Amino acid sequence: MPVFRKNVPRGLWGGLLPIILAGVLAPLALYLRIGSFSPYLSFEPWVSPNINLDKPFARNVSLCPGYDLTSVETSEYGLVANLVLAGEECHAYGTDHKNLIVEVTHETSTRLRVNIHDAEKSQFTIPNTVVRLPLRTSETLAHSSELMFNYQVSPFSFWITRRSDPHAFPLFDTRTSSLPQTPVPAVIPDIPSTSLDGFSLIFEDRYLQLTSALPLDANIYGLGEVVASSGFRRDTGGGSGRGSVQTMWNRDSADPVDENMYGSHPVYLEHRFDGHMVTPRSHGVYLHSAAASDILLLTPPGSLTSLIQYRMLGGTLDFYFFSGPTPSQVIEQYSEVIGRPAWQNAWAFGYQQCRWGYEDVSELREVVRRMNDSKIPLEVIWNDIDLYHAYRDFTTDPVRYLAEDMTDFISELAVNEQHYIPIVDAAIPVLTNKTDAYTPYEAGNNLDVFVKNPDGTEHIGQVWPGYTVFPDWFSPKAQGWWTKLLSDWFTTGVQFSGIWLDMNEVSSFCDGSCGTGADLRNTSVPFYLPGHPNNPVIDYPEGYNATRFGPSGNITVNGTHTYDPSVRTNGAGNNVTPESGDRRYGTGPAYSIHNGNGLLSSLTLAINATHASGFSELDVHNLWGLMNSQTTFKALLEIRNGKRPFIISRSTFAGSGTWAGHWLGDNFSRWEYLRYSIQGVLQFQIFQIPFVGADTCGFVGNTDEELCNRWMTLSAYLPFYRNHNILSAIPQEPYVWDSVADASRGNIAVRYSLLSYWYTLFADASRYGTPPIKALFYEFPNEPELFAVDKQFMIGNALLVTPVLYPNVTSVQGHFPGIGSVIWRDFFTSEQLSHSAQTQTIEVPLGKIGLHIRSGTAIVLYQEPGYTVASTRRSDLSLLVSLSPGTDGVAHGKLYLDDGESLAPTPYREIEIFAEGGRHGGRVWFVSKGTYVSPTKLQRGASSGITEVRVGGETWKSWSWDGKLGKLAIERVGIDPNGLTLDTISWR
């Protein structure tokens, strides 16, 4: 839910090295290489020290001397080394730590940890209870790890190389000799702080800096959450780019462009391939830190290298490196550190409907009825804050959403195998007078579970219900308190199937604490709600002239097309604000990160707010949404008797995917945000939050028929599929326009036929961390023209999606990679695309999408898509095989089945599908394992080959062959997937 100020919609948004050696050889810059490292060590939680606010800071990093290595001790797993400040303290933006420790650990053969921390361990580190880090393997990896740690003694620096290619450009390189000469004026002219005055290692209490060289114009992906103007591939400033400043400070802001927003994910994937490389390779880098920070991707003018620079307001430099070498393997290896994604309920893949502004239970019923009458499948209905009494969590409005009415309504949904999800906001309203009663606050106050001011009083913010407090998830009693609130709500009328977590960055309408002197009886919000005369919702997407054509949003009015490319509406994005931010601790640290709101405390908690164990808000701010999801997950697990918790959270951090999915926030009803939704989904595959999608048809502003048609079509092929719009905007349920209803019915039917494929992909995500949605270069890593493609994507390795993303067009140019080795067939017609050109134009009428199956793959589909996911899952199965080119083609696929709701480990069945041959003969066979008993059978198959078909050795009559398409269709097969040995299908 966004915040609106004035009348403008805007979101809140090996051996011992003698110590004397360093002194003797320091001027010579000694280089050493090791191939092993130290045992894992845990750290005590950080407690905020007293900071001298009057100490002057130089604000000049060129004065910082860096560090020298003074001793090192190696082991079969890595090393531990001591660093000492190489000169006088520079006090750039804080107080220098004089002594550091470097721990290098080869945790697996593909994962290397380099942890640089202060010797006193006084800096904040993320508690293991929040993100449970893995231990190293028991293997001795000194001579087998793919990643090699190399270092220079004086000044200390390090670089990471591959054992298999030690002389290639390092994967990470902090040597000043590898970086451009300094000083460098502002690389991005309108952001003065992008000047580069020095590259020494800086480790101060409130400022850390580390820089690594990158290949010129490197292929970098990740580092979010962000709506990047450059697209999925990040702008490093090479070529025609200007560079990027990625700020890590969770913020409630309606999907701004090139600014920080709801989540922080300091991880990136880099892909390397050029004409001189034999094999393409990817690797990954993750900084395990929740610190407020800027991460800069820059290329100084004339430089032969690009660079990445980390500037952090605390924490430690705790890096993980992943060797890949494929993009999907990098993402899988990252999941081993921060946790694999939560198992999704089967029903979660159904179509879901929400609106901010459903008036009462009867309107919810009306939406369900109209969806049913329109034969548009509806799986889940959602409630926004309209549900609440006085906008208070865990309540229902006593008139519009009477608890008994909600119970009846949700029971009706359950009978129809549908589901209900309500919103839960982050803030808890304080009691306003002695006659007021509100159990969530009273119980929380008694249990002492709220965030405090430094003097021990409750920190007061302001959100929808008025003045509020905020749960402190570090409090040992917070879990029990939160579980009881959700449980009581569930048992008194709101039998939810899942929970929607919003405003959890954490968001407030005040700048820091607003409790001192505030009139707590005032429950109004300091802005006009959408639809108020001073805040009308009047904008349509670009091209639509509402003044001329009225408020319908139709594609045509009186036979005239309503789209005019000269018509523009107000944009939503802003450039990074240069040099905005805080100047003092208490208001903010000396270094100002590029927070889009300016002050770090703007529209959120004060940075000196305190949490249990003495944690400072400045250090733990970015963890609030993650911990909100974690606490809610554990509560739902108890309330719903062990069924898989379903949670969608707006704010996220590394590890959030273990507990929740994500929607891409308060987007805009504009064509550019239709396009942005693809890069957002691709980002969150890297972040290990694969269950993600956008507010379909747009949230802020009014949509129109054509935009909504194309968006409903696209979202049917993304993981999380929900339509949601803002208060007082025109309705955008899919039945509003006939063309949108047609598009929705058709594409939801395709989505539901693919549910077994979706479910299998997400089982692999939860088991192995494999991304279900892939950029094209993940599967075709040696085709550089694909490295920036983000207007197409792949579902798994089998399906290529090519949507229409612009108005007034019925064709689209797409990439169809793998020339000479891959055949692409139209999913709907089985027609084969020409494989003589990688880029081709295909016809995609309104309501349709480009969907192609890749040769060499096999997927299982549901034969009869139903109105709900449950009815679809009772349908028999069909098999679609597309053999690879040639007379001896092959194909492979798999199917994962379980009950769709039990928390893993649960009984399952996994079937591998193999095929070989061609039109002159071949066979399909299966390997089945597991204990789950599937209620469905394989009844239909399709492949390429045919004069005779045999099933299980018996001649089969129910088949047809289309020679033009090269397509064999086999009917009524009746193969039971539950046996360990399944019947073979063959043809000749």
Side-chain angles (χ1 to χ4, degrees), residues 411-452:
S411 296
E412 293 164 12
L413 292 175
V415 168
N416 294 321
E417 299 180 312
Q418 295 169 305
H419 303 269
Y420 172 79
I421 293 175
I423 197 169
V424 174
D425 276 344
I428 300 297
V430 298
L431 293 181
T432 58
N433 55 62
K434 292 183 179 180
T435 64
D436 195 6
Y438 182 55
T439 299
Y441 173 76
E442 294 169 323
N445 177 268
N446 292 334
L447 292 171
D448 194 26
V449 298
F450 298 128
V451 178
K452 303 286 196 304

Coordinates of all heavy atoms in Angstrom, one line a residue, residues 411-452:
S411 N -15.9 -19.8 3.9 CA -16.4 -21.2 3.8 C -16.9 -21.5 2.4 O -16.8 -22.6 1.9 CB -17.5 -21.4 4.9 OG -17.0 -21.3 6.2
E412 N -17.6 -20.5 1.8 CA -18.1 -20.7 0.5 C -17.0 -20.9 -0.5 O -17.0 -21.7 -1.4 CB -19.0 -19.5 0.1 CG -20.3 -19.3 0.8 CD -20.8 -17.9 0.7 OE1 -20.4 -17.1 -0.2 OE2 -21.8 -17.5 1.5
L413 N -15.9 -20.1 -0.3 CA -14.8 -20.3 -1.1 C -14.2 -21.7 -1.0 O -13.8 -22.3 -2.0 CB -13.7 -19.2 -0.8 CG -14.0 -17.7 -1.1 CD1 -12.9 -16.9 -0.6 CD2 -14.1 -17.5 -2.6
A414 N -14.1 -22.1 0.2 CA -13.5 -23.4 0.5 C -14.2 -24.5 -0.2 O -13.7 -25.5 -0.7 CB -13.3 -23.6 2.0
V415 N -15.6 -24.4 -0.1 CA -16.4 -25.4 -0.8 C -16.1 -25.5 -2.3 O -16.1 -26.6 -2.9 CB -17.9 -25.1 -0.5 CG1 -18.8 -26.0 -1.4 CG2 -18.3 -25.3 0.9
N416 N -15.8 -24.4 -2.9 CA -15.5 -24.3 -4.3 C -14.0 -24.5 -4.6 O -13.5 -24.2 -5.7 CB -16.0 -23.0 -4.9 CG -17.5 -22.8 -4.8 OD1 -18.2 -23.8 -5.1 ND2 -17.9 -21.6 -4.5
E417 N -13.2 -24.9 -3.5 CA -11.8 -25.1 -3.6 C -11.0 -23.9 -4.0 O -10.0 -23.9 -4.7 CB -11.5 -26.2 -4.7 CG -12.1 -27.6 -4.3 CD -11.8 -28.7 -5.3 OE1 -12.0 -28.4 -6.5 OE2 -11.4 -29.8 -4.8
Q418 N -11.5 -22.7 -3.5 CA -10.9 -21.4 -3.6 C -10.3 -21.0 -2.3 O -10.6 -21.6 -1.2 CB -11.9 -20.4 -4.2 CG -12.3 -20.8 -5.6 CD -13.5 -19.9 -6.1 OE1 -14.5 -19.9 -5.5 NE2 -13.3 -19.3 -7.3
H419 N -9.6 -19.9 -2.3 CA -8.8 -19.5 -1.1 C -9.0 -18.0 -0.9 O -9.4 -17.2 -1.7 CB -7.4 -19.8 -1.3 CG -7.2 -21.3 -1.5 ND1 -6.9 -22.2 -0.6 CD2 -7.2 -22.0 -2.7 CE1 -6.8 -23.4 -1.1 NE2 -6.9 -23.3 -2.4
Y420 N -8.6 -17.6 0.4 CA -8.8 -16.2 0.8 C -7.5 -15.8 1.5 O -6.9 -16.5 2.3 CB -9.9 -16.0 1.7 CG -10.0 -14.7 2.4 CD1 -10.5 -13.6 1.7 CD2 -9.6 -14.4 3.7 CE1 -10.6 -12.3 2.3 CE2 -9.6 -13.2 4.3 CZ -10.1 -12.1 3.5 OH -10.1 -10.9 4.1
I421 N -7.0 -14.5 1.2 CA -5.8 -14.0 1.8 C -6.0 -12.5 2.2 O -6.4 -11.7 1.3 CB -4.6 -14.1 0.8 CG1 -4.2 -15.6 0.6 CG2 -3.4 -13.4 1.4 CD1 -3.1 -15.8 -0.4
P422 N -5.8 -12.2 3.4 CA -5.9 -10.8 3.9 C -4.5 -10.2 4.1 O -3.5 -10.9 4.1 CB -6.6 -11.0 5.3 CG -6.0 -12.2 5.8 CD -5.7 -13.1 4.6
I423 N -4.5 -8.9 4.2 CA -3.3 -8.1 4.4 C -3.0 -8.0 5.9 O -3.9 -8.0 6.7 CB -3.4 -6.7 3.8 CG1 -2.1 -6.0 3.6 CG2 -4.4 -5.8 4.6 CD1 -2.1 -4.7 2.8
V424 N -1.7 -8.0 6.2 CA -1.3 -7.6 7.6 C -0.2 -6.6 7.5 O 0.9 -6.8 6.9 CB -0.8 -8.9 8.4 CG1 -0.2 -8.4 9.7 CG2 -1.9 -9.9 8.6
D425 N -0.5 -5.4 8.0 CA 0.5 -4.3 7.9 C 1.5 -4.4 9.1 O 1.3 -5.2 10.0 CB -0.2 -2.9 7.9 CG -0.7 -2.5 6.5 OD1 -0.2 -3.1 5.6 OD2 -1.5 -1.6 6.4
A426 N 2.5 -3.6 9.0 CA 3.7 -3.8 9.9 C 3.5 -3.2 11.3 O 4.1 -3.5 12.2 CB 4.9 -3.3 9.3
A427 N 2.6 -2.2 11.3 CA 2.5 -1.3 12.5 C 1.3 -1.7 13.4 O 0.3 -2.1 12.9 CB 2.5 0.1 12.1
I428 N 1.5 -1.5 14.7 CA 0.4 -1.8 15.7 C 0.0 -0.4 16.3 O 0.8 0.3 16.9 CB 1.0 -2.7 16.8 CG1 1.4 -4.0 16.2 CG2 -0.1 -2.9 17.8 CD1 0.3 -4.8 15.5
P429 N -1.3 -0.1 16.2 CA -1.7 1.2 16.8 C -1.6 1.2 18.3 O -1.9 0.2 19.0 CB -3.2 1.3 16.3 CG -3.6 -0.1 16.0 CD -2.4 -0.8 15.5
V430 N -1.2 2.4 18.8 CA -1.2 2.6 20.3 C -2.6 2.9 20.8 O -3.4 3.4 20.0 CB -0.2 3.7 20.7 CG1 1.2 3.3 20.2 CG2 -0.6 5.0 20.1
L431 N -2.8 2.7 22.0 CA -4.1 3.0 22.6 C -4.2 4.5 22.8 O -3.2 5.2 23.2 CB -4.3 2.3 24.0 CG -4.4 0.8 23.9 CD1 -4.6 0.2 25.3 CD2 -5.6 0.4 23.0
T432 N -5.3 5.1 22.4 CA -5.5 6.5 22.4 C -6.1 7.1 23.6 O -5.9 8.3 23.9 CB -6.4 6.9 21.2 OG1 -7.6 6.3 21.3 CG2 -5.7 6.5 19.9
N433 N -6.8 6.3 24.4 CA -7.4 6.8 25.7 C -7.7 5.6 26.5 O -7.6 4.5 26.1 CB -8.6 7.7 25.4 CG -9.7 6.9 24.6 OD1 -10.2 5.9 25.0 ND2 -10.0 7.5 23.4
K434 N -8.2 5.9 27.8 CA -8.5 4.8 28.7 C -9.7 3.9 28.3 O -9.8 2.8 28.8 CB -8.7 5.5 30.1 CG -7.5 6.1 30.7 CD -7.8 6.7 32.1 CE -6.5 7.3 32.7 NZ -6.8 7.8 34.1
T435 N -10.5 4.5 27.5 CA -11.7 3.7 27.1 C -11.4 2.8 25.9 O -12.2 2.0 25.5 CB -12.9 4.6 26.8 OG1 -12.6 5.4 25.7 CG2 -13.2 5.4 28.0
D436 N -10.3 3.1 25.3 CA -9.9 2.3 24.1 C -9.4 0.9 24.5 O -8.8 0.7 25.5 CB -8.8 3.0 23.3 CG -8.6 2.5 21.9 OD1 -9.5 1.7 21.5 OD2 -7.7 3.0 21.2
A437 N -9.7 -0.1 23.6 CA -9.2 -1.4 23.9 C -8.7 -2.0 22.6 O -9.4 -2.0 21.6 CB -10.4 -2.3 24.5
Y438 N -7.5 -2.6 22.6 CA -6.9 -3.2 21.5 C -5.9 -4.2 21.9 O -4.8 -3.8 22.3 CB -6.3 -2.1 20.5 CG -5.7 -2.7 19.3 CD1 -6.5 -3.4 18.4 CD2 -4.4 -2.4 18.9 CE1 -6.0 -4.0 17.2 CE2 -3.9 -2.9 17.8 CZ -4.6 -3.7 16.9 OH -4.1 -4.2 15.8
T439 N -6.3 -5.4 21.9 CA -5.5 -6.5 22.5 C -4.1 -6.6 21.9 O -3.1 -6.8 22.7 CB -6.2 -7.9 22.4 OG1 -7.4 -7.8 23.1 CG2 -5.4 -9.0 22.9
P440 N -3.9 -6.5 20.6 CA -2.5 -6.6 20.1 C -1.5 -5.6 20.7 O -0.4 -6.0 21.0 CB -2.7 -6.3 18.6 CG -4.1 -6.8 18.3 CD -4.9 -6.4 19.5
Y441 N -2.0 -4.4 20.9 CA -1.1 -3.4 21.6 C -0.9 -3.8 23.1 O 0.2 -3.8 23.6 CB -1.6 -2.0 21.4 CG -0.7 -1.0 22.2 CD1 0.5 -0.7 21.8 CD2 -1.2 -0.5 23.5 CE1 1.3 0.2 22.5 CE2 -0.4 0.3 24.2 CZ 0.9 0.7 23.8 OH 1.7 1.5 24.5
E442 N -2.0 -4.0 23.7 CA -2.0 -4.3 25.2 C -1.1 -5.5 25.5 O -0.2 -5.4 26.4 CB -3.4 -4.5 25.7 CG -4.3 -3.3 25.7 CD -5.7 -3.6 26.0 OE1 -6.2 -4.7 25.5 OE2 -6.4 -2.8 26.6
A443 N -1.3 -6.5 24.7 CA -0.5 -7.7 25.0 C 1.0 -7.5 24.7 O 1.9 -7.9 25.4 CB -1.0 -8.9 24.2
G444 N 1.2 -6.8 23.6 CA 2.6 -6.5 23.2 C 3.3 -5.6 24.1 O 4.5 -5.8 24.4
N445 N 2.6 -4.6 24.6 CA 3.1 -3.7 25.6 C 3.5 -4.5 26.9 O 4.6 -4.3 27.5 CB 2.1 -2.6 25.9 CG 2.6 -1.6 27.0 OD1 2.3 -1.8 28.2 ND2 3.4 -0.6 26.6
N446 N 2.6 -5.3 27.3 CA 2.9 -6.1 28.5 C 4.1 -7.1 28.4 O 4.9 -7.3 29.3 CB 1.7 -7.0 28.9 CG 0.5 -6.1 29.4 OD1 0.8 -5.0 29.9 ND2 -0.7 -6.6 29.3
L447 N 4.3 -7.6 27.2 CA 5.4 -8.5 26.9 C 6.6 -7.8 26.5 O 7.7 -8.5 26.3 CB 4.9 -9.5 25.8 CG 3.8 -10.5 26.1 CD1 3.4 -11.2 24.9 CD2 4.3 -11.5 27.2
D448 N 6.6 -6.5 26.3 CA 7.7 -5.7 25.9 C 8.3 -6.2 24.6 O 9.5 -6.5 24.5 CB 8.8 -5.8 27.0 CG 9.9 -4.7 26.9 OD1 9.6 -3.7 26.3 OD2 11.0 -5.0 27.3
V449 N 7.5 -6.1 23.5 CA 7.9 -6.6 22.2 C 8.0 -5.5 21.2 O 8.1 -5.8 20.0 CB 7.0 -7.8 21.7 CG1 7.0 -8.9 22.6 CG2 5.6 -7.2 21.5
F450 N 8.0 -4.3 21.6 CA 8.1 -3.2 20.6 C 9.4 -2.5 20.5 O 10.2 -2.5 21.5 CB 7.0 -2.2 20.9 CG 5.6 -2.7 20.8 CD1 4.7 -2.6 21.8 CD2 5.2 -3.5 19.7 CE1 3.4 -3.1 21.8 CE2 3.9 -4.0 19.6 CZ 3.0 -3.8 20.7
V451 N 9.7 -1.9 19.4 CA 11.0 -1.2 19.2 C 11.0 0.0 20.1 O 9.9 0.7 20.3 CB 11.1 -0.7 17.8 CG1 12.4 0.1 17.6 CG2 11.2 -2.0 16.8
K452 N 12.1 0.4 20.7 CA 12.3 1.4 21.7 C 13.0 2.6 21.2 O 13.8 2.6 20.2 CB 13.0 0.9 22.9 CG 12.4 -0.3 23.6 CD 11.2 0.0 24.4 CE 10.8 -1.1 25.3 NZ 10.6 -2.4 24.7

